[in-house]
């Protein structure tokens, strides 16, 4: 198990990492779930900044300041909607993580916190999504794109899935 990856149960908006990741939608103009929580906590200045970004495609990532959040940056990435697994969902979800890590490196964010992208309203199965998240985190750490990765789970059940995945050998 890699000590540079941690799992916490909690609210992503209170994380003190350099960057937090938002499971956004393609408009980047806010929504439900974790997206709504991040916008409420960051304040209206976040939406104003997001309006300048022109949206993002599924799997892309764009960065803003954190505004009223403890985190300096928010990396917004629209995850794929789960359609059964044959619509390129796995590659798109991996792209969310890869592009988020690349942006973190670009802005100099050394610590980053992720929610469980796509596993809420977008219905991506948690076990499969977690395998992708952990694999991409291990790669990003090996490539030294960031120094620490925190997975922030909203439920005990999700955190258990992450802990189980982290206990497995890299694949
Ligand atoms: P998506 O549309 O990508 O599926 P959701 O926001 O619906 O995104 O859900 C992603 C995950 O984020 C879900 O497990 C949800 O319970 C969780 N979540 C919701 N609010 C928060 C929060 N404040 N902090 C961390 N995770 C959250």
């Amino acid at each position: 198990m890699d000590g540079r990856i941690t799992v916490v149960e909690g609210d992503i908006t209170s994380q003190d990492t350099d960057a937090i990741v938002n499971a956004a939608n393609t408009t980047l103009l806010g929504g439900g779930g974790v997206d709504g929580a991040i916008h409420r906590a960051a304040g209206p200045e976040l939406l104003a900044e997001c309006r300048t970004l022109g949206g993002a495609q599924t799997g892309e990532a764009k960065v803003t300041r954190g505004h009223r959040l403890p985190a300096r940056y928010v990396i917004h990435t629209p995850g794929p909607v789960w359609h059964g697994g044959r619509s390129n969902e796995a590659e798109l979800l991996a792209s969310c993580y890869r592009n988020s890590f690349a942006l973190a490196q670009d802005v100099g964010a050394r610590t980053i916190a992720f929610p469980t992208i796509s596993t809420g309203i977008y219905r991506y199965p948690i076990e499969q999504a977690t395998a992708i998240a952990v694999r991409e985190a291990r790669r990003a750490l090996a490539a030294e794109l960031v120094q620490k990765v925190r997975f922030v789970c909203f439920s005990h059940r999700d955190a258990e899935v992450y802990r189980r995945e982290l206990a497995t050998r890299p694949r």
Side-chain angles (χ1 to χ4, degrees), residues 22 34 45 50 54 62 71 73 89 95 124 128 132 134 139-140 147 150 157 168:
N22 181 14
V34 70
E45 299 87 354
C50 283
K62 292 193 178 177
Y73 299 105
E89 293 96 330
S95 290
Y124 206 117
Q128 292 175 61
I132 291 168
V134 168
R139 286 183 182 165
Q147 291 178 359
R150 186 181 300 168
R157 184 181 166 272
T168 66

Side-chain angles (χ1 to χ4, degrees), residues 59 77 80 88-101 124 129 132-133 135-136 139:
T77 184
N88 212 29
E89 293 96 330
E91 194 47 52
L92 288 167
L93 186 61
S95 290
C96 290
Y97 285 95
R98 287 181 202 155
N99 287 323
S100 295
F101 284 121
Y124 206 117
I132 291 168
R135 181 191 73 207
E136 295 304 327
R139 286 183 182 165

Side-chain angles (χ1 to χ4, degrees), residues 15-20 66 70-74 107-113:
Q15 303 303 313
D16 60 357
T17 44
D18 296 331
I20 66 168
R72 189 174 174 93
Y73 299 105
V74 180
V107 298
R110 291 177 299 181
T111 58
I112 185 168

Side-chain angles (χ1 to χ4, degrees), residues 10-13 23 32-35 37 115-123 152 154 158:
D11 185 337
I12 196 145
T13 64
V34 70
D35 194 3
T116 65
I117 299 168
S118 280
T119 69
I121 298 163
Y122 287 177
R123 303 185 313 273
V152 182
F154 214 42
D158 289 352

